[in-house]
Amino acid sequence: MAKHAPETLNRTTQAYVHWFRHSAPYINAHRHKTFVLMFGGEAVQHENFQHIIHDIALLHSLGIRLILVHGARPQINQNLLDSNIATPFHQNRRITTRESLRGVMNAVGSIRLEIEALLSMGLANSPMYGARIDVVSGNFVTAKPYGIYEGVDFQLTGEVRSIDTAAIQRHLANHNIVLLGPTGYSTTGEVFNLLAEEVATKTATALQADKLIFLGEQQGLMDATQQLLRELSPQQLEPYIQQYQTQAPDFALHLKQAQQAGLSGVHRIHLISYTYDGALIEELFTRDGIGTMITDAHYEQVRIANIHDVGGLMNLLRPLEQEGILVYRSRERLESEIEQFAVIERDGMILACAALYPLPASDNEMRSAEIACVAVDASYRKSNRGQQILQFLESKAQQQGIQQLFVLTTRTAHWFLEHGFSPASVDELPDARQALYNYQRNSLVFKKVLF
Protein backbone atom coordinates (compact mmCIF):
# COMPACT_ATOMS: atom_id res chain seq x y z
CA MET A 1 0.00 0.00 0.00
CA ALA A 2 2.82 2.39 0.90
CA LYS A 3 4.26 2.41 -2.61
CA HIS A 4 0.97 3.79 -3.97
CA ALA A 5 0.83 6.67 -1.47
CA PRO A 6 2.85 9.14 -3.63
CA GLU A 7 0.62 8.38 -6.61
CA THR A 8 -2.50 8.99 -4.52
CA LEU A 9 -1.00 12.18 -3.15
CA ASN A 10 -0.11 13.29 -6.67
CA ARG A 11 -3.71 12.79 -7.86
CA THR A 12 -4.96 14.79 -4.88
CA THR A 13 -2.49 17.56 -5.61
CA GLN A 14 -3.41 17.61 -9.30
CA ALA A 15 -7.10 17.87 -8.41
CA TYR A 16 -6.30 20.79 -6.11
CA VAL A 17 -4.20 22.52 -8.76
CA HIS A 18 -6.97 22.00 -11.33
CA TRP A 19 -9.56 23.54 -8.97
CA PHE A 20 -7.29 26.42 -8.01
CA ARG A 21 -6.62 27.33 -11.64
CA HIS A 22 -10.31 27.25 -12.47
CA SER A 23 -11.14 29.41 -9.46
CA ALA A 24 -8.97 32.27 -10.77
CA PRO A 25 -11.77 33.91 -12.84
CA TYR A 26 -13.97 34.02 -9.73
CA ILE A 27 -11.20 35.42 -7.54
CA ASN A 28 -10.77 38.23 -10.05
CA ALA A 29 -14.52 38.74 -10.51
CA HIS A 30 -15.25 38.93 -6.75
CA ARG A 31 -12.40 41.25 -5.77
CA HIS A 32 -13.69 44.61 -4.41
CA LYS A 33 -17.30 43.39 -4.68
CA THR A 34 -19.74 43.81 -1.78
CA PHE A 35 -21.31 40.69 -0.28
CA VAL A 36 -23.89 40.60 2.52
CA LEU A 37 -23.73 37.29 4.40
CA MET A 38 -26.58 36.36 6.75
CA PHE A 39 -26.60 33.45 9.22
CA GLY A 40 -28.88 32.70 12.15
CA GLY A 41 -28.07 31.90 15.75
CA GLU A 42 -28.37 28.21 14.87
CA ALA A 43 -25.34 28.55 12.59
CA VAL A 44 -23.31 30.15 15.38
CA GLN A 45 -24.06 27.14 17.60
CA HIS A 46 -23.20 24.58 14.91
CA GLU A 47 -19.89 22.71 14.98
CA ASN A 48 -19.12 23.91 11.43
CA PHE A 49 -19.22 27.60 12.40
CA GLN A 50 -15.47 27.74 13.02
CA HIS A 51 -14.92 26.60 9.43
CA ILE A 52 -17.35 29.28 8.24
CA ILE A 53 -15.28 31.89 10.11
CA HIS A 54 -12.13 30.62 8.39
CA ASP A 55 -13.86 30.91 5.01
CA ILE A 56 -15.05 34.43 5.84
CA ALA A 57 -11.43 35.34 6.64
CA LEU A 58 -10.37 33.88 3.30
CA LEU A 59 -12.98 35.92 1.42
CA HIS A 60 -11.77 39.04 3.21
CA SER A 61 -8.16 38.27 2.28
CA LEU A 62 -9.20 38.05 -1.38
CA GLY A 63 -10.43 41.64 -1.31
CA ILE A 64 -14.17 40.97 -0.95
CA ARG A 65 -16.04 43.64 1.02
CA LEU A 66 -18.11 41.83 3.64
CA ILE A 67 -21.11 42.74 5.75
CA LEU A 68 -22.04 39.96 8.18
CA VAL A 69 -25.56 39.85 9.60
CA HIS A 70 -26.21 37.39 12.43
CA GLY A 71 -29.40 36.18 14.04
CA ALA A 72 -29.85 35.15 17.67
CA ARG A 73 -33.18 33.34 18.03
CA PRO A 74 -32.03 30.19 19.91
CA GLN A 75 -29.76 32.24 22.17
CA ILE A 76 -32.61 34.64 22.96
CA ASN A 77 -34.90 31.69 23.64
CA GLN A 78 -32.38 30.25 26.13
CA ASN A 79 -31.89 33.60 27.89
CA LEU A 80 -35.64 34.07 28.29
CA LEU A 81 -36.09 30.48 29.46
CA ASP A 82 -33.39 30.99 32.10
CA SER A 83 -35.20 34.13 33.25
CA ASN A 84 -38.60 32.41 33.15
CA ILE A 85 -39.91 34.99 30.65
CA ALA A 86 -42.35 33.95 27.94
CA THR A 87 -42.61 35.79 24.62
CA PRO A 88 -45.18 34.51 22.11
CA PHE A 89 -44.68 34.49 18.35
CA HIS A 90 -47.11 35.67 15.70
CA GLN A 91 -46.48 35.07 11.99
CA ASN A 92 -43.02 33.72 12.92
CA ARG A 93 -42.11 37.05 14.53
CA ARG A 94 -41.39 37.42 18.26
CA ILE A 95 -43.53 39.80 20.33
CA THR A 96 -40.80 41.58 22.27
CA THR A 97 -41.96 42.86 25.63
CA ARG A 98 -39.99 45.44 27.61
CA GLU A 99 -39.33 42.75 30.20
CA SER A 100 -37.74 40.48 27.56
CA LEU A 101 -35.62 43.14 25.89
CA ARG A 102 -32.61 42.67 28.18
CA GLY A 103 -32.51 38.96 27.30
CA VAL A 104 -32.57 39.93 23.61
CA MET A 105 -29.76 42.46 24.03
CA ASN A 106 -27.59 40.08 26.06
CA ALA A 107 -27.92 37.34 23.43
CA VAL A 108 -27.14 39.68 20.55
CA GLY A 109 -24.20 41.23 22.41
CA SER A 110 -22.68 37.86 23.34
CA ILE A 111 -22.88 36.62 19.74
CA ARG A 112 -21.27 39.82 18.48
CA LEU A 113 -18.37 39.35 20.92
CA GLU A 114 -18.02 35.69 19.97
CA ILE A 115 -17.82 36.49 16.25
CA GLU A 116 -15.34 39.31 16.83
CA ALA A 117 -13.18 36.99 18.92
CA LEU A 118 -13.23 34.23 16.30
CA LEU A 119 -12.29 36.68 13.55
CA SER A 120 -9.38 37.92 15.68
CA MET A 121 -7.68 34.52 15.91
CA GLY A 122 -4.24 34.33 14.34
CA LEU A 123 -3.11 30.98 15.64
CA ALA A 124 -0.17 29.21 14.04
CA ASN A 125 -1.05 26.06 12.08
CA SER A 126 -4.57 27.35 11.48
CA PRO A 127 -6.28 28.93 8.44
CA MET A 128 -6.40 32.22 10.36
CA TYR A 129 -2.62 32.41 10.82
CA GLY A 130 -1.34 35.87 9.95
CA ALA A 131 -4.83 37.27 9.40
CA ARG A 132 -5.41 40.80 10.60
CA ILE A 133 -9.10 41.54 10.46
CA ASP A 134 -10.81 44.60 11.89
CA VAL A 135 -14.49 44.02 12.66
CA VAL A 136 -16.74 47.04 13.08
CA SER A 137 -20.17 47.14 14.69
CA GLY A 138 -22.29 50.21 15.33
CA ASN A 139 -25.64 51.91 15.14
CA PHE A 140 -25.91 51.50 11.39
CA VAL A 141 -29.55 50.34 11.46
CA THR A 142 -32.35 52.75 12.30
CA ALA A 143 -35.56 50.99 13.30
CA LYS A 144 -39.20 51.78 13.86
CA PRO A 145 -41.93 49.87 15.71
CA TYR A 146 -43.53 47.00 13.85
CA GLY A 147 -46.74 48.21 15.45
CA ILE A 148 -50.04 46.36 15.60
CA TYR A 149 -50.66 43.61 13.08
CA GLU A 150 -53.87 41.59 12.90
CA GLY A 151 -54.81 43.06 16.27
CA VAL A 152 -51.51 41.99 17.91
CA ASP A 153 -49.26 44.64 19.45
CA PHE A 154 -45.64 43.65 18.78
CA GLN A 155 -44.37 46.20 21.32
CA LEU A 156 -40.54 46.41 21.04
CA THR A 157 -40.36 44.30 17.93
CA GLY A 158 -39.42 46.56 15.06
CA GLU A 159 -38.62 46.75 11.39
CA VAL A 160 -35.86 48.49 9.49
CA ARG A 161 -36.44 52.18 8.77
CA SER A 162 -33.09 52.98 7.15
CA ILE A 163 -29.49 51.82 6.78
CA ASP A 164 -26.53 54.18 7.23
CA THR A 165 -24.93 53.22 3.93
CA ALA A 166 -22.40 56.07 3.98
CA ALA A 167 -20.91 54.90 7.28
CA ILE A 168 -20.86 51.25 6.16
CA GLN A 169 -19.15 52.18 2.89
CA ARG A 170 -16.46 54.12 4.78
CA HIS A 171 -15.66 51.11 6.92
CA LEU A 172 -15.63 48.77 3.92
CA ALA A 173 -13.27 51.15 2.11
CA ASN A 174 -10.94 50.89 5.12
CA HIS A 175 -10.87 47.09 4.67
CA ASN A 176 -13.03 46.41 7.72
CA ILE A 177 -15.67 43.72 8.02
CA VAL A 178 -18.98 45.24 9.13
CA LEU A 179 -20.99 43.17 11.61
CA LEU A 180 -24.72 43.76 12.09
CA GLY A 181 -27.12 42.03 14.46
CA PRO A 182 -30.90 41.71 14.71
CA THR A 183 -31.36 44.99 16.58
CA GLY A 184 -31.92 48.57 15.53
CA TYR A 185 -32.20 51.92 17.21
CA SER A 186 -34.90 54.55 16.92
CA THR A 187 -34.33 58.28 16.72
CA THR A 188 -35.67 58.50 20.30
CA GLY A 189 -33.03 56.09 21.62
CA GLU A 190 -35.13 52.94 21.91
CA VAL A 191 -33.79 49.51 20.97
CA PHE A 192 -35.93 47.27 18.75
CA ASN A 193 -35.69 43.55 18.12
CA LEU A 194 -35.55 42.94 14.35
CA LEU A 195 -35.54 40.01 11.97
CA ALA A 196 -31.94 39.35 10.95
CA GLU A 197 -33.19 38.29 7.51
CA GLU A 198 -34.82 41.69 7.04
CA VAL A 199 -31.69 43.51 8.21
CA ALA A 200 -29.64 41.58 5.65
CA THR A 201 -32.09 42.21 2.81
CA LYS A 202 -32.50 45.92 3.55
CA THR A 203 -28.72 46.33 3.87
CA ALA A 204 -28.03 44.51 0.60
CA THR A 205 -30.70 46.55 -1.16
CA ALA A 206 -29.55 49.89 0.25
CA LEU A 207 -25.94 49.17 -0.72
CA GLN A 208 -26.93 47.54 -4.02
CA ALA A 209 -24.66 44.71 -2.94
CA ASP A 210 -23.29 42.36 -5.56
CA LYS A 211 -24.45 39.31 -3.59
CA LEU A 212 -26.72 38.46 -0.69
CA ILE A 213 -25.97 35.04 0.82
CA PHE A 214 -28.30 33.23 3.23
CA LEU A 215 -26.67 30.45 5.27
CA GLY A 216 -29.54 28.25 6.40
CA GLU A 217 -29.99 24.67 7.48
CA GLN A 218 -30.97 23.46 4.00
CA GLN A 219 -28.54 23.10 1.11
CA GLY A 220 -30.87 25.12 -1.10
CA LEU A 221 -34.28 24.83 -2.69
CA MET A 222 -35.41 21.35 -3.72
CA ASP A 223 -38.05 20.36 -6.27
CA ALA A 224 -40.77 17.74 -5.76
CA THR A 225 -38.28 14.92 -6.42
CA GLN A 226 -35.75 16.36 -3.93
CA GLN A 227 -33.43 17.49 -6.71
CA LEU A 228 -31.57 20.72 -6.04
CA LEU A 229 -32.85 23.71 -8.03
CA ARG A 230 -29.67 25.53 -8.93
CA GLU A 231 -31.14 28.71 -10.38
CA LEU A 232 -34.49 30.52 -10.23
CA SER A 233 -35.83 33.99 -10.80
CA PRO A 234 -37.45 35.93 -7.92
CA GLN A 235 -40.85 35.46 -9.57
CA GLN A 236 -40.46 31.66 -9.52
CA LEU A 237 -40.10 31.60 -5.73
CA GLU A 238 -43.74 32.40 -4.92
CA PRO A 239 -45.14 28.82 -4.85
CA TYR A 240 -42.18 27.63 -2.77
CA ILE A 241 -42.70 30.43 -0.25
CA GLN A 242 -46.30 29.28 0.19
CA GLN A 243 -45.24 25.62 0.39
CA TYR A 244 -42.62 26.12 3.10
CA GLN A 245 -44.71 28.57 5.14
CA THR A 246 -46.00 25.73 7.31
CA GLN A 247 -43.33 23.07 6.62
CA ALA A 248 -40.25 25.20 7.43
CA PRO A 249 -41.15 28.81 8.31
CA ASP A 250 -37.51 29.88 8.78
CA PHE A 251 -36.63 28.69 5.27
CA ALA A 252 -39.79 30.34 3.91
CA LEU A 253 -38.51 33.58 5.45
CA HIS A 254 -35.20 33.17 3.61
CA LEU A 255 -37.09 32.61 0.37
CA LYS A 256 -39.34 35.62 0.96
CA GLN A 257 -36.40 37.91 1.68
CA ALA A 258 -34.46 36.49 -1.29
CA GLN A 259 -37.43 37.31 -3.51
CA GLN A 260 -37.66 40.82 -2.07
CA ALA A 261 -33.94 41.43 -2.59
CA GLY A 262 -34.08 40.14 -6.16
CA LEU A 263 -37.01 42.39 -7.01
CA SER A 264 -35.22 45.35 -5.39
CA GLY A 265 -32.07 45.25 -7.49
CA VAL A 266 -29.77 42.70 -5.82
CA HIS A 267 -28.74 40.65 -8.84
CA ARG A 268 -27.57 37.46 -7.16
CA ILE A 269 -28.89 35.87 -3.97
CA HIS A 270 -27.52 32.53 -2.79
CA LEU A 271 -29.12 29.93 -0.51
CA ILE A 272 -26.56 27.54 0.99
CA SER A 273 -26.18 25.41 4.13
CA TYR A 274 -24.21 26.31 7.25
CA THR A 275 -23.88 22.58 8.01
CA TYR A 276 -21.81 21.86 4.88
CA ASP A 277 -18.08 22.44 5.33
CA GLY A 278 -16.81 24.65 2.51
CA ALA A 279 -20.25 25.66 1.19
CA LEU A 280 -19.20 29.31 0.85
CA ILE A 281 -16.07 28.45 -1.12
CA GLU A 282 -17.79 25.93 -3.36
CA GLU A 283 -20.71 28.28 -4.08
CA LEU A 284 -18.53 31.28 -4.90
CA PHE A 285 -15.54 29.71 -6.65
CA THR A 286 -16.95 26.88 -8.76
CA ARG A 287 -19.05 27.14 -11.88
CA ASP A 288 -22.14 25.29 -10.62
CA GLY A 289 -21.88 26.04 -6.91
CA ILE A 290 -23.44 23.97 -4.16
CA GLY A 291 -26.75 25.70 -3.44
CA THR A 292 -29.53 27.67 -5.11
CA MET A 293 -29.02 31.04 -6.77
CA ILE A 294 -31.82 33.54 -7.22
CA THR A 295 -31.17 35.92 -10.09
CA ASP A 296 -32.90 38.13 -12.61
CA ALA A 297 -29.59 39.12 -14.18
CA HIS A 298 -29.52 36.70 -17.14
CA TYR A 299 -26.71 34.76 -15.50
CA GLU A 300 -26.56 32.54 -18.56
CA GLN A 301 -28.08 33.44 -21.92
CA VAL A 302 -27.97 32.52 -25.57
CA ARG A 303 -26.26 35.12 -27.73
CA ILE A 304 -24.58 35.52 -31.12
CA ALA A 305 -20.90 34.59 -30.94
CA ASN A 306 -18.10 37.09 -31.48
CA ILE A 307 -14.43 36.83 -32.38
CA HIS A 308 -13.44 36.50 -28.70
CA ASP A 309 -15.40 33.22 -28.50
CA VAL A 310 -13.27 31.37 -31.06
CA GLY A 311 -10.94 29.82 -28.47
CA GLY A 312 -13.89 28.61 -26.40
CA LEU A 313 -15.60 27.19 -29.48
CA MET A 314 -12.47 25.27 -30.41
CA ASN A 315 -12.26 23.78 -26.90
CA LEU A 316 -15.90 22.70 -27.13
CA LEU A 317 -15.81 21.35 -30.70
CA ARG A 318 -12.42 19.59 -30.84
CA PRO A 319 -13.37 16.49 -28.77
CA LEU A 320 -16.48 15.95 -30.91
CA GLU A 321 -14.46 16.42 -34.11
CA GLN A 322 -11.91 13.87 -32.91
CA GLU A 323 -14.71 11.37 -32.31
CA GLY A 324 -16.01 11.99 -35.83
CA ILE A 325 -19.31 13.37 -34.57
CA LEU A 326 -18.66 16.80 -36.10
CA VAL A 327 -16.80 17.87 -39.21
CA TYR A 328 -13.44 19.51 -38.47
CA ARG A 329 -13.36 23.32 -38.64
CA SER A 330 -10.07 25.21 -38.57
CA ARG A 331 -9.57 28.33 -36.47
CA GLU A 332 -9.56 30.38 -39.69
CA ARG A 333 -12.91 28.94 -40.74
CA LEU A 334 -14.41 29.54 -37.30
CA GLU A 335 -13.20 33.13 -37.37
CA SER A 336 -14.69 33.73 -40.82
CA GLU A 337 -18.03 32.10 -39.87
CA ILE A 338 -18.24 33.36 -36.30
CA GLU A 339 -21.39 35.41 -36.89
CA GLN A 340 -23.26 32.25 -37.90
CA PHE A 341 -22.74 30.79 -34.40
CA ALA A 342 -24.83 31.17 -31.29
CA VAL A 343 -23.35 30.31 -27.89
CA ILE A 344 -24.33 29.89 -24.25
CA GLU A 345 -21.65 31.28 -21.98
CA ARG A 346 -21.24 31.11 -18.22
CA ASP A 347 -18.46 33.01 -16.46
CA GLY A 348 -16.26 33.03 -19.55
CA MET A 349 -16.77 29.39 -20.54
CA ILE A 350 -18.69 28.36 -23.66
CA LEU A 351 -21.15 25.67 -22.53
CA ALA A 352 -23.02 25.15 -25.81
CA CYS A 353 -22.98 26.29 -29.41
CA ALA A 354 -24.71 25.82 -32.75
CA ALA A 355 -24.52 27.49 -36.15
CA LEU A 356 -27.16 28.63 -38.65
CA TYR A 357 -26.10 28.64 -42.32
CA PRO A 358 -28.60 30.10 -44.82
CA LEU A 359 -28.55 28.01 -48.01
CA PRO A 360 -28.65 29.44 -51.53
CA ALA A 361 -32.01 28.70 -53.15
CA SER A 362 -33.13 28.63 -56.78
CA ASP A 363 -36.35 30.31 -57.90
CA ASN A 364 -38.54 27.28 -57.26
CA GLU A 365 -37.04 26.30 -53.89
CA MET A 366 -38.18 27.23 -50.38
CA ARG A 367 -35.85 29.49 -48.43
CA SER A 368 -33.76 27.09 -46.36
CA ALA A 369 -30.97 27.02 -43.81
CA GLU A 370 -28.83 24.37 -42.19
CA ILE A 371 -28.33 23.92 -38.45
CA ALA A 372 -24.79 22.64 -37.79
CA CYS A 373 -22.21 22.26 -35.03
CA VAL A 374 -24.74 21.62 -32.26
CA ALA A 375 -22.52 20.91 -29.27
CA VAL A 376 -22.94 20.96 -25.49
CA ASP A 377 -20.13 20.62 -22.97
CA ALA A 378 -20.02 17.07 -21.58
CA SER A 379 -20.77 18.27 -18.04
CA TYR A 380 -24.03 19.90 -19.12
CA ARG A 381 -25.53 17.44 -21.60
CA LYS A 382 -28.37 16.47 -19.26
CA SER A 383 -29.54 20.08 -19.15
CA ASN A 384 -31.79 21.81 -21.67
CA ARG A 385 -29.04 23.98 -23.15
CA GLY A 386 -29.12 22.19 -26.51
CA GLN A 387 -32.83 22.90 -26.74
CA GLN A 388 -32.30 26.53 -25.72
CA ILE A 389 -29.76 27.19 -28.44
CA LEU A 390 -31.83 25.34 -31.05
CA GLN A 391 -34.89 27.46 -30.24
CA PHE A 392 -32.76 30.60 -30.44
CA LEU A 393 -31.57 29.71 -33.95
CA GLU A 394 -35.06 28.70 -35.07
CA SER A 395 -36.31 32.13 -33.98
CA LYS A 396 -33.40 33.80 -35.79
CA ALA A 397 -34.19 31.79 -38.95
CA GLN A 398 -37.84 32.88 -38.87
CA GLN A 399 -36.75 36.51 -38.53
CA GLN A 400 -34.67 36.04 -41.70
CA GLY A 401 -37.63 34.61 -43.59
CA ILE A 402 -36.28 31.04 -43.57
CA GLN A 403 -39.08 28.55 -44.33
CA GLN A 404 -37.40 25.25 -43.52
CA LEU A 405 -34.38 23.98 -41.62
CA PHE A 406 -32.12 21.04 -42.44
CA VAL A 407 -29.68 19.20 -40.23
CA LEU A 408 -27.17 16.48 -41.18
CA THR A 409 -26.05 14.15 -38.42
CA THR A 410 -24.37 10.78 -37.92
CA ARG A 411 -24.86 10.26 -34.18
CA THR A 412 -27.69 12.41 -32.79
CA ALA A 413 -30.67 11.49 -34.95
CA HIS A 414 -33.01 10.78 -32.05
CA TRP A 415 -32.31 14.11 -30.38
CA PHE A 416 -33.40 16.00 -33.51
CA LEU A 417 -36.48 13.80 -33.88
CA GLU A 418 -37.41 14.68 -30.29
CA HIS A 419 -37.16 18.36 -31.19
CA GLY A 420 -39.53 18.41 -34.12
CA PHE A 421 -37.36 17.37 -37.06
CA SER A 422 -38.51 14.72 -39.54
CA PRO A 423 -36.43 12.28 -41.62
CA ALA A 424 -35.63 13.54 -45.11
CA SER A 425 -33.56 12.40 -48.06
CA VAL A 426 -30.49 13.93 -49.65
CA ASP A 427 -32.64 14.75 -52.67
CA GLU A 428 -34.73 17.11 -50.54
CA LEU A 429 -31.75 19.31 -49.78
CA PRO A 430 -31.49 22.50 -51.84
CA ASP A 431 -29.39 21.94 -54.96
CA ALA A 432 -26.48 24.00 -53.65
CA ARG A 433 -26.28 21.88 -50.47
CA GLN A 434 -26.71 18.59 -52.34
CA ALA A 435 -23.60 19.41 -54.34
CA LEU A 436 -21.58 19.56 -51.10
CA TYR A 437 -23.01 16.40 -49.50
CA ASN A 438 -20.25 14.06 -48.29
CA TYR A 439 -21.29 10.52 -49.20
CA GLN A 440 -18.37 9.08 -47.24
CA ARG A 441 -19.82 10.38 -43.97
CA ASN A 442 -23.26 9.13 -45.06
CA SER A 443 -25.00 11.61 -42.74
CA LEU A 444 -28.71 11.27 -42.09
CA VAL A 445 -30.79 14.24 -43.24
CA PHE A 446 -33.61 15.76 -41.19
CA LYS A 447 -35.79 18.76 -41.86
CA LYS A 448 -38.21 21.01 -40.02
CA VAL A 449 -40.73 23.31 -41.66
CA LEU A 450 -41.05 26.67 -39.90
CA PHE A 451 -44.46 28.31 -39.70
Side-chain angles (χ1 to χ4, degrees):
M1 290 293 292
K3 66 180 180 180
H4 296 299
E7 183 180 336
T8 302
L9 181 61
N10 187 48
R11 284 199 299 268
T12 303
T13 303
Q14 286 179 341
Y16 169 76
V17 170
H18 176 81
W19 172 83
F20 193 73
R21 285 172 177 163
H22 283 77
S23 70
Y26 300 98
I27 294 173
N28 292 326
H30 296 334
R31 187 176 290 116
H32 307 311
K33 296 297 173 60
T34 301
F35 294 178
V36 176
L37 176 60
M38 185 270 155
F39 46 88
E42 297 83 359
V44 178
Q45 292 178 332
H46 197 271
E47 62 184 3
N48 191 48
F49 189 64
Q50 185 129 347
H51 294 147
I52 293 172
I53 288 291
H54 293 162
D55 291 344
I56 287 170
L58 175 58
L59 298 183
H60 179 260
S61 72
L62 293 173
I64 297 171
R65 296 150 56 102
L66 293 172
I67 301 103
L68 310 182
V69 183
H70 70 83
R73 180 170 289 188
Q75 292 85 350
I76 293 171
N77 288 343
Q78 187 61 53
N79 279 0
L80 297 181
L81 181 64
D82 293 344
S83 302
N84 199 27
I85 298 173
T87 53
F89 283 80
H90 185 68
Q91 298 291 335
N92 202 36
R93 195 181 290 256
R94 188 189 303 273
I95 299 169
T96 309
T97 62
R98 194 165 295 278
E99 180 188 28
S100 68
L101 185 61
R102 182 157 298 279
V104 172
M105 293 170 64
N106 286 342
V108 172
S110 65
I111 292 174
R112 177 175 62 81
L113 291 173
E114 180 181 353
I115 294 171
E116 289 177 351
L118 288 170
L119 284 170
S120 299
M121 292 190 306
L123 299 177
N125 301 318
S126 82
M128 297 285 288
Y129 179 66
R132 179 68 180 96
I133 301 173
D134 292 322
V135 185
V136 177
S137 302
N139 57 340
F140 302 121
V141 181
T142 302
K144 61 182 179 180
Y146 190 70
I148 299 172
Y149 182 75
E150 294 181 345
V152 176
D153 185 355
F154 280 82
Q155 301 183 53
L156 291 175
T157 296
E159 58 184 335
V160 176
R161 180 190 292 273
S162 64
I163 304 292
D164 190 348
T165 56
I168 291 175
Q169 292 284 24
R170 283 197 300 273
H171 289 297
L172 294 176
N174 288 329
H175 310 292
N176 301 324
I177 290 179
V178 174
L179 178 61
L180 305 178
T183 53
Y185 310 91
S186 73
T187 53
T188 58
E190 287 186 293
V191 179
F192 287 97
N193 182 21
L194 310 176
L195 288 175
E197 292 82 359
E198 182 184 297
V199 173
T201 298
K202 294 290 187 181
T203 302
T205 301
L207 291 168
Q208 285 297 281
D210 298 282
K211 289 183 184 291
L212 169 60
I213 302 168
F214 288 103
L215 278 165
E217 187 174 7
Q218 295 188 209
Q219 179 184 354
L221 187 57
M222 305 290 177
D223 65 14
T225 63
Q226 291 304 297
Q227 295 297 307
L228 179 67
L229 297 168
R230 294 196 176 274
E231 184 180 333
L232 295 93
S233 70
Q235 294 82 357
Q236 291 174 305
L237 286 176
E238 192 60 42
Y240 298 102
I241 294 170
Q242 301 303 320
Q243 173 188 334
Y244 282 100
Q245 201 69 58
T246 53
Q247 297 177 11
D250 289 347
F251 187 60
L253 182 58
H254 284 187
L255 295 179
K256 183 67 177 175
Q257 294 299 323
Q259 181 187 56
Q260 183 62 46
L263 295 174
S264 301
V266 181
H267 292 312
R268 294 187 182 183
I269 304 101
H270 301 259
L271 305 171
I272 57 177
S273 174
Y274 62 75
T275 68
Y276 181 87
D277 186 12
L280 264 174
I281 303 303
E282 193 165 339
E283 180 70 8
L284 295 175
F285 296 99
T286 64
R287 185 164 282 111
D288 291 324
I290 189 65
T292 299
M293 183 171 70
I294 315 302
T295 180
D296 239 357
H298 303 297
Y299 178 52
E300 191 181 290
Q301 62 181 347
V302 187
R303 61 171 174 81
I304 297 298
N306 59 58
I307 196 66
H308 302 293
D309 297 318
V310 171
L313 283 172
M314 291 177 65
N315 290 336
L316 181 61
L317 297 176
R318 286 298 178 261
L320 299 173
E321 292 171 351
Q322 290 167 2
E323 292 180 44
I325 297 173
L326 296 178
V327 175
Y328 172 77
R329 282 171 169 77
S330 65
R331 172 181 282 273
E332 291 75 16
R333 182 177 174 186
L334 284 173
E335 289 177 356
S336 66
E337 297 178 351
I338 193 66
E339 293 181 358
Q340 312 297 336
F341 279 82
V343 296
I344 295 178
E345 174 205 357
R346 175 187 285 190
D347 295 332
M349 177 181 176
I350 303 299
L351 302 185
C353 73
L356 178 71
Y357 294 100
L359 299 173
S362 59
D363 293 339
N364 61 341
E365 290 180 330
M366 295 174 65
R367 294 193 63 186
S368 304
E370 180 182 355
I371 298 280
C373 278
V374 180
V376 179
D377 184 272
S379 301
Y380 299 88
R381 285 178 189 161
K382 292 184 179 180
S383 68
N384 67 342
R385 290 175 177 83
Q387 179 181 349
Q388 283 180 259
I389 208 160
L390 181 62
Q391 290 174 344
F392 178 85
L393 289 182
E394 286 182 10
S395 177
K396 181 183 176 184
Q398 288 177 316
Q399 292 170 10
Q400 295 178 359
I402 302 297
Q403 297 168 291
Q404 62 180 353
L405 294 174
F406 287 93
V407 64
L408 281 69
T409 181
T410 58
R411 301 277 292 277
T412 54
H414 279 90
W415 189 85
F416 286 104
L417 288 171
E418 290 168 4
H419 289 85
F421 282 78
S422 303
S425 66
V426 176
D427 293 338
E428 293 180 70
L429 290 169
D431 294 340
R433 184 62 183 88
Q434 280 188 49
L436 299 175
Y437 181 80
N438 185 342
Y439 284 91
Q440 287 187 321
R441 280 183 62 83
N442 196 29
S443 299
L444 297 174
V445 180
F446 295 88
K447 73 174 180 180
K448 185 175 188 178
V449 177
L450 304 178
F451 296 98

